[in-house]
Amino acid sequence: MAEIAALRIGLPACERSRPLRSRRIGTSAILTSLAVMVLGLFAVGALEIAATSPAAAQSFTYNPTPRRPKPPPAQNNGQMLVQANEVDYDYNNSRVSAVGNVQMFYNGTGVEADKVIYDQKTKRLHAEGNIRMTDADGKVTYANIMDLSDDYRDGFVDSLRVDTADATRMAATRADRTKGKFNVFENGVYTACAPCKDDPKKPPLWQVKGARIIHDQTEKMLYFEDARIEFYGVPMAYMPYFSIPDPTVKRKSGFLMPIVTSYNAFGVGIETPYYFALAPNYDLTVAPRFTTRQGVLMQGEFRQRLIDGSYQIRAYGIDQLDQGAFAGQPGDRQFRGGVDTKGQFALNDKWTWGWDGVLLSDYYFFSDYRLSQYKDPLQSFLSLPTEAISQLYLTGVGNRSFFDARAIYYLSFSGNQKQVPIVAPVIDYNNVINHAVLGGEFSYKFNFTNLTRDAAQFDPLSTLANNSYWCSQPTTADTKPANCLLRGVPGTYTRLSAEVQWRKSFTDSFGEIWTPFASLRADAINADISNQPGVSNFLPPGDTQALRVMPTVGLEYRYPFINVQPWGTTTIEPIAQVIIRPNESYAGKLPNEDAQSLVFDASNLFSVDKFSGYDRVEGGGRANVGVQATTQFDRGGAIKFLFGQSYQLFGMNSFAVPDLTNTGVDSGLQRAQSDYVASLNYAPNSTFTFSTRARFDEVTMDVQRFEAEGRGSFGRWSASILYGDYAAQPDLGYLTRRRGILGTGSVKVASNWVVQGAARFDLETNQINQYTIGAGYVDDCFVLGLNYVTAYTYSAGSTPPQLSHAIMFQLGLRTIGLTSTTSSGSGTLQ
């Protein structure tokens, strides 16, 4: 039974004595109809509907209705509470009226209004005057006038504004509801932008106006008729008709925003993606690209999420209209296409497996049509990918252990498919024992690698025309270490490596820190090298088996001196490291696939093995010495300095032995006394950071490698500058000194506007050879971006640098879509 409390003023005595049963029936019908109406009528998600004037419906303003003090809601116990200045029942006309500060509560829902009338004959409900409804979930609805049938299938609201839970807004001079599912907004306006706080009457950044906006609650779609898009109240585009899902929809089938691209290979292309929401956990996007030169490029992407992971498959295909555009290139064919896919699944909380896969009709397809890795010019044009990776992997991560197994197939984008390896498999495992062994930390690791390559890969060492030819067209007579590097060995290469390590640190009574360490590494190698032209000048062809063992013992010594002052604390720490081990077995006589990169600087001065991979191992006795100084300032900021040198004590210096790629030669470690290395890092506060890294010739003190970098971020500004100076490394193919400056910066010119740019200046040629500039606007409802990028790809030898450039324009309206236009091109810099 509903409980009714009513304060009745000015009623006849006989009216006051009427049974409460009639009032109970009337008010129950009023509240039930009104509650259902608000929850179902004009609902675009969780809507808040506020009355506005007809004029205000044409441009958003923000005029919140003053709220009455909110009484405590009734409990969700099926009882109804109605409070009003008057509750009247008109027997003659079968009308129930609640008048004056009407407040109703039923099952957690509260309604407030100046007046509520329910006509039992017409079964219509009429509410007016500062209507405010709060449901059990906290959603609030405002209105001045509502009129609808008690089955909430038909009705209207005059002068309304709708605010959704996800901050979209809609206004109209009138809204009608028909058939229980259609809401029609006359002279409607829609936006996803918040009102201006300083001037709520100011038009939003963007809004869509339509002669009619139809909301189909069954299909959950918004249909705009005779629509125009306005920016700050100024019409910018007209569309006779378009539709979007309503804000409650997270995914729905339909057209996505078009994308415009331009590239010299295919002309101008327009993509018109169509999205199919097939099920909650999988979907399909079909995106035909209509090009002016090559016809229609069909693209499709299927995605599915399962309980333990997800995967996706993309497919491409085109029947080219102008094959001559690719004359003499791999793209000179009628049909071109490709497939790429990736997926990842969790076996449990520690183990995952997955794959990446690429299959192409020709290796230039992705680059010619700017697909996959080439899609984002702001990223790909700065570092053009040279290959795609197809792989199957299994990864496990423990508390102090790691396992990874992969089978990898590289697909070359440069056409040198026979020169890239197939790796099947490569397995890594390492583990740190959780308990102490002989009082110290004990760990072990394994690596197994098996790879095959059909053809040798040579790189030229000089810019001589004949030298480049000898390395690209190898011959036994001319393709030799004096002219080329052998980057990839043809044939099959298999290696199993295992290493155990132990170390322990302790501090004596004087504060000296002693760290003894020991390790034992073994490599079992089998190389089946193909006898191709020039290869025999580097390695003997045929089968080669080798067992390489490297035992190591060493001691590291540190003695920190600490000085405390009122302004901060300074720590000066001499460091010495002595390593004893035999010579490297088979130095320079085995393939080197994973240890081709070596940069000697302060970061690896105290590394026991300075090679970057397993195919080389450092041998011979060595001492690494240096001093490290750190100052921490009490008011913030720190300085850290490191200076040191490495010494070959006895045995063969592994870095002085040239291998197939001359790794270690010209590194600064090839002499008995290495070059000096130093680093300095200074952070005076959270705004600025400065760092330098340097290597100096140990005899002449000439700069062999120097980098200085400064970064700053303060207020609206951020900037960085990097200076690099690198000496010639003729044994690696770099015949001249390289010097340059790279600067980047951005400034927030307004609350939502950012301008950014970057440039690289070549100090050897005195010209800017790479730059990017862009501007962007981002806020809660709008994205605008314009960027121009150039990039130069350099290689050792005589190959001219490759120039790539792109212009990208991006425009996004929240809840409506994001579109972009890209124009790109490439060529050889002469």
Side-chain angles (χ1 to χ4, degrees), residues 32-217:
T32 302
S33 296
L34 184 60
V36 175
M37 177 272 295
V38 176
L39 293 175
L41 177 63
F42 312 118
V44 186
L47 302 186
E48 294 179 301
I49 302 179
T52 63
S53 65
Q58 299 304 305
S59 184
F60 282 103
T61 60
Y62 187 67
N63 298 304
T65 305
R67 297 186 178 184
R68 299 186 180 95
K70 185 177 179 180
Q75 296 181 352
N76 188 10
N77 53 13
Q79 293 184 329
M80 181 186 298
L81 173 64
V82 178
Q83 298 181 12
N85 293 344
E86 297 181 8
V87 178
D88 300 327
Y89 191 93
D90 185 344
Y91 288 98
N92 295 328
N93 296 312
S94 298
R95 291 182 179 176
V96 180
S97 302
V99 182
N101 294 323
V102 181
Q103 299 182 14
M104 303 178 180
F105 304 94
Y106 180 71
N107 279 351
T109 299
V111 177
E112 303 173 42
D114 292 341
K115 186 176 182 180
V116 178
I117 301 173
Y118 178 67
D119 191 322
Q120 290 183 309
K121 291 183 178 180
T122 61
K123 298 186 181 297
R124 295 195 69 85
L125 182 142
H126 182 87
E128 61 184 43
N130 298 318
I131 301 170
R132 178 178 186 271
M133 177 177 175
T134 305
D135 68 10
D137 296 328
K139 295 188 291 287
V140 182
T141 300
Y142 298 98
N144 273 345
I145 298 176
M146 291 184 182
D147 189 282
L148 72 161
S149 59
D150 65 355
D151 61 359
Y152 59 87
R153 290 180 58 83
D154 302 286
F156 71 88
V157 175
D158 281 334
S159 303
L160 61 85
R161 192 191 77 232
V162 175
D163 295 332
T164 71
D166 65 346
T168 61
R169 300 185 297 142
M170 185 179 293
T173 57
R174 177 185 172 93
D176 292 276
R177 179 174 176 81
T178 59
K179 299 182 180 180
K181 68 174 184 178
F182 294 107
N183 299 325
V184 181
F185 300 86
E186 303 291 341
N187 299 317
V189 187
Y190 173 83
T191 186
C193 298
C196 178
K197 295 181 180 179
D198 298 330
D199 185 6
K201 295 183 179 180
K202 181 180 178 181
L205 193 156
W206 66 265
Q207 59 186 7
V208 181
K209 289 185 176 181
R212 292 205 313 167
I213 301 176
I214 303 172
H215 179 212
D216 187 330
Q217 289 183 285

Side-chain angles (χ1 to χ4, degrees), residues 429 443-448 495-501 519-524 547-550 614:
Y429 177 72
S443 63
Y444 56 91
K445 59 183 178 180
F446 299 93
N447 174 268
F448 177 78
R495 176 184 39 76
L496 173 63
S497 300
E499 184 175 8
V500 294
Q501 298 175 332
S519 67
L520 177 63
R521 173 175 154 181
D523 303 293
L547 177 62
R548 184 173 58 197
V549 179
M550 181 60 67
Y614 287 96

Side-chain angles (χ1 to χ4, degrees), residues 569-580:
T569 302
T570 298
T571 302
I572 299 177
E573 186 178 32
I575 307 173
Q577 189 182 67
V578 178
I579 304 169
I580 300 174

Side-chain angles (χ1 to χ4, degrees), residues 676-730:
Y676 297 104
V677 293
S679 67
L680 175 65
N681 298 279
Y682 175 47
N685 47 47
S686 60
T687 300
F688 298 98
T689 59
F690 304 94
S691 63
T692 61
R693 300 167 292 275
R695 194 182 96 230
F696 306 95
D697 188 277
E698 61 95 13
V699 176
T700 65
M701 294 300 291
D702 291 339
V703 174
Q704 300 298 307
R705 187 180 184 91
F706 180 80
E707 293 177 342
E709 184 176 12
R711 295 179 178 270
S713 179
F714 39 95
R716 298 181 295 114
W717 296 81
S718 65
S720 69
I721 186 168
L722 171 65
Y723 169 78
D725 185 353
Y726 312 99
Q729 295 175 289

